[in-house]
Amino acid sequence: MMGSSDVDLEGVRPSAPLPEPCLSYWQRTTRAFPHLNRNHNAPLPSRKRYVIVGSGLSGALSAFELTENGVQGEDIIILEAREAASGASSRNAGHVRPDAFRGFKRYSSLHGQDQALKVIANERLVLDRIGEFVRKHHIECDFNLTTTFDVCLTAEFAAYEAETFMSFKNAGGDVSHVNFFEGEEARKRTGVNKTVAAYEWPAASIHPARLTHWLLDTVINRGVSLFTHCPVSKVERSPAVDEKEWQVRTPRGTVTTPTVIHCTNAYASLLLPSLNSYLAPNRAQAHSLVASNTFSGSKTLTNTLSLRYSLNHFYSLIQCPGDGTLILGVSRTNPTLSAETLRGIVTFDDGGYNEDVFTDVLKQWNVLFPGEDANRDNLDHAWTGIIGVTDDSIPFVGPLENLDGQWICAGFGGHGMARIFNCAPGVVKLILGSDWSDTALPECFQLTTRRVAKMQSLHNTTDRNNYILV
Ligand SMILES: Cc1cc2nc3c(=O)[nH]c(=O)nc-3n(C[C@H](O)[C@H](O)[C@H](O)COP(=O)(O)OP(=O)(O)OC[C@H]3O[C@@H](n4cnc5c(N)ncnc54)[C@H](O)[C@@H]3O)c2cc1C
């Protein structure tokens, strides 16, 4: 496992998204989205009531929720550094996979048992909420509600899962939706012959770019302006006498506003430098494979899988219901990777994929699915994206203290699809005057002075990268 000494966290300076990123499978299959480069050279308005920075799932859903709750679309602008939704929301591994119990120990140690229970319960609600949303609006985004398996590939990891499951259950955590299998039954159910034990619970897979594009298209039709290729370089107090407004600066001009919503995920510390110590950019990699006979027709996967050797060494697998493409995600800190690859994960560079990770994936595919013989021919594509890892494994949500009128919804690690659908609506509720208790979010998601102090004390003692979800 990688320790913090292996990574020069301080060596990576806050950055805007870098130009010329690679394209993911999801982006390659949505190049005709009409708003991809919207307003890329139109003049920027000088004033807006609401400025959202970032057009990923957080930004798009925040705009949607504002308009759902009575704000005029014409009062909202979304500023996006690259093409529409070009960050992690269009680069992920397609899993909407709530944690059912595994994170309990980690969250309990950092945030207390009560909050840990809430963090996990919140993710289950997100799955329901996305499902309802997609059904209600008939969104074509390959949403596939199914079950997922946490596949324990070693006895050690099976023991870790068993212990965590019991501590979660004993603390009052709801496990009524979790099935457990071991030995031959586990191997039969998962289809993976190295399986020692497996836990199964409801989850989904999705075409994440299509969901985000649907949201952007909808809010644009409601009057929201989306300005792509418009990186925000600074947010400063307006020099006006009462200093109640903010100036959002971009190379294309400045927008003055009373309300800024930071939906910039891994990049948040460029505009909020005080977050730099607690939010690390990590490059994650995923792969698409053309389904061979073993995964085609009636043998198409009906569940999703998280194939786990240990907490930090795993592979995630979904199969798209549309074209049957398999999407294989990889944990970032696999012990099989070279020291150079491990050092390279703390970066903003999503311009290509890593060959070492790619080789590991090919090797593991043949170990986990013997007879499948994965090679460069059936491995269709590989890509990377940047995730924002917070020091205490939970996102930053809500008002920014001492920056009246600025809000944040960011820091989702490798797990935003299981969180954003409650966090973005929660931030919007707060902006429109509700109390935290109306958001139904765990209180620990707030970015309070107390939380910052706690992260500060953790900073030198824990490994930022030591807890990876999905
Ligand atoms: C390879 C990979 C696999 C993953 N797999 C999964 C998974 O299976 N399940 C899951 O739940 N999560 C997964 N994730 C994580 C998930 O994708 C993210 O948590 C989620 O998409 C975050 O959404 P967001 O809108 O907050 O951020 P993003 O989608 O990153 O959006 C932020 C946007 O802000 C823009 N931006 C940033 N700074 C500026 C600026 N200064 N000015 C203007 N615009 C700016 C960026 O260009 C970007 O479009 C994965 C991520 C990756 C990279």
Side-chain angles (χ1 to χ4, degrees):
M1 189 172 84
M2 185 167 54
S4 49
S5 59
D6 297 314
V7 174
D8 179 13
L9 293 170
E10 309 309 330
V12 177
R13 294 279 151 260
S15 172
L18 300 180
E20 298 182 24
C22 64
L23 290 184
S24 71
Y25 164 79
W26 315 113
Q27 291 171 303
R28 281 159 49 124
T29 49
T30 52
R31 298 309 294 158
F33 178 53
H35 307 305
L36 210 53
N37 298 301
R38 194 172 175 88
N39 285 323
H40 70 284
N41 54 15
L44 207 58
S46 60
R47 175 173 291 279
K48 280 280 174 183
R49 180 81 185 78
Y50 299 91
V51 175
I52 297 173
V53 191
S55 68
L57 189 57
S58 299
L61 187 56
S62 296
F64 181 87
E65 289 292 318
L66 282 168
T67 56
E68 281 289 284
N69 287 282
V71 173
Q72 294 298 310
E74 289 71 15
D75 287 339
I76 305 168
I77 189 168
I78 304 175
L79 302 176
E80 166 55 52
R82 305 190 294 204
E83 64 179 34
S86 67
S89 298
S90 292
R91 300 173 176 278
N92 61 46
H95 242 145
V96 184
R97 190 172 196 272
D99 184 1
F101 61 89
R102 186 172 1 92
F104 181 67
K105 264 167 87 170
R106 165 86 171 158
Y107 300 135
S108 292
S109 71
L110 289 170
H111 307 291
Q113 192 165 288
D114 177 49
Q115 291 297 308
L117 289 171
K118 287 188 181 182
V119 170
I120 290 174
N122 177 64
E123 299 197 2
R124 201 168 159 197
L125 290 178
V126 168
L127 176 66
D128 294 344
R129 196 162 185 167
I130 297 193
E132 274 165 33
F133 190 85
V134 167
R135 273 190 298 277
K136 178 176 169 193
H137 297 288
H138 309 287
I139 304 171
E140 289 179 14
C141 59
D142 282 353
F143 184 77
N144 184 24
L145 183 60
T146 176
T147 61
T148 189
F149 286 102
D150 238 20
V151 182
C152 307
L153 297 169
T154 62
E156 293 75 24
F157 189 63
Y160 177 88
E161 290 261 89
E163 190 198 326
T164 309
F165 179 86
M166 282 318 293
S167 52
F168 178 64
K169 189 176 172 193
N170 291 338
D174 181 7
V175 289
S176 59
H177 59 307
V178 182
N179 297 318
F180 172 66
F181 307 99
E182 56 189 335
E184 195 46 45
E185 184 63 16
R187 286 187 277 281
K188 207 173 96 198
R189 299 238 176 199
T190 61
V192 181
N193 63 10
K194 276 178 76 72
T195 308
V196 176
Y199 296 79
E200 180 190 27
W201 64 86
S205 61
I206 197 167
H207 190 309
R210 286 215 179 109
L211 174 63
T212 311
H213 289 173
W214 183 92
L215 286 162
L216 290 173
D217 184 56
T218 303
V219 298
I220 287 167
N221 287 330
R222 292 177 180 180
V224 173
S225 318
L226 167 64
F227 276 66
T228 61
H229 307 282
C230 191
V232 176
S233 50
K234 222 175 182 103
V235 178
E236 292 176 314
R237 273 200 197 280
S238 166
V241 187
D242 61 4
E243 291 192 339
K244 283 260 164 65
E245 293 195 311
W246 298 101
Q247 293 194 324
V248 180
R249 299 203 182 280
T250 83
R252 291 167 58 187
T254 296
V255 189
T256 302
T257 182
T259 316
V260 183
I261 313 172
H262 295 262
C263 296
T264 43
N265 204 33
Y267 306 91
S269 53
L270 177 70
L271 307 178
L272 299 165
S274 62
L275 295 183
N276 188 32
S277 306
Y278 318 111
L279 178 71
N282 273 200
R283 181 167 62 193
Q285 185 161 321
H287 311 77
S288 53
L289 290 90
V290 177
S292 63
N293 279 340
T294 318
F295 291 100
S296 302
S298 61
K299 291 184 269 179
T300 300
L301 277 181
T302 51
N303 313 97
T304 76
L305 302 172
S306 179
L307 302 146
R308 307 190 81 101
Y309 288 99
S310 69
L311 207 49
N312 295 335
H313 181 193
F314 64 88
Y315 304 84
S316 73
L317 185 65
I318 65 162
Q319 188 160 14
C320 303
D323 62 5
T325 294
L326 292 149
I327 305 291
L328 186 63
V330 193
S331 54
R332 305 182 304 287
T333 52
N334 288 358
T336 46
L337 301 173
S338 71
E340 192 190 346
T341 300
L342 292 172
R343 268 196 303 278
I345 67 166
V346 184
T347 177
F348 288 103
D349 180 3
D350 56 1
Y353 67 89
N354 178 287
E355 191 64 38
D356 193 20
V357 178
F358 188 86
T359 307
D360 173 59
V361 159
L362 285 181
K363 205 171 108 202
Q364 278 302 326
W365 186 260
N366 292 317
V367 170
L368 296 168
F369 303 104
E372 269 301 289
D373 194 25
N375 53 49
R376 279 170 188 272
D377 292 340
N378 50 15
L379 232 154
D380 164 59
H381 187 55
W383 65 91
T384 50
I386 310 303
I387 63 174
V389 181
T390 63
D391 268 8
D392 58 2
S393 302
I394 53 170
F396 301 142
V397 179
L400 288 159
E401 288 187 349
N402 305 321
L403 297 173
D404 207 18
Q406 291 198 46
W407 306 78
I408 188 162
C409 184
F412 290 102
H415 209 47
M417 305 304 293
R419 286 177 165 166
I420 292 168
F421 250 74
N422 273 355
C423 290
V427 171
V428 167
K429 278 196 173 120
L430 297 169
I431 292 171
L432 298 179
S434 294
D435 292 332
W436 186 271
S437 55
D438 297 323
T439 67
L441 289 169
E443 290 75 10
C444 58
F445 284 8
Q446 294 171 87
L447 189 51
T448 57
T449 315
R450 199 165 147 253
R451 179 171 168 199
V452 169
K454 211 163 149 199
M455 283 192 289
Q456 183 69 58
S457 68
L458 284 171
H459 199 63
N460 299 324
T461 56
T462 62
D463 175 0
R464 270 175 160 162
N465 303 297
N466 77 347
Y467 194 73
I468 298 154
L469 290 157
V470 172

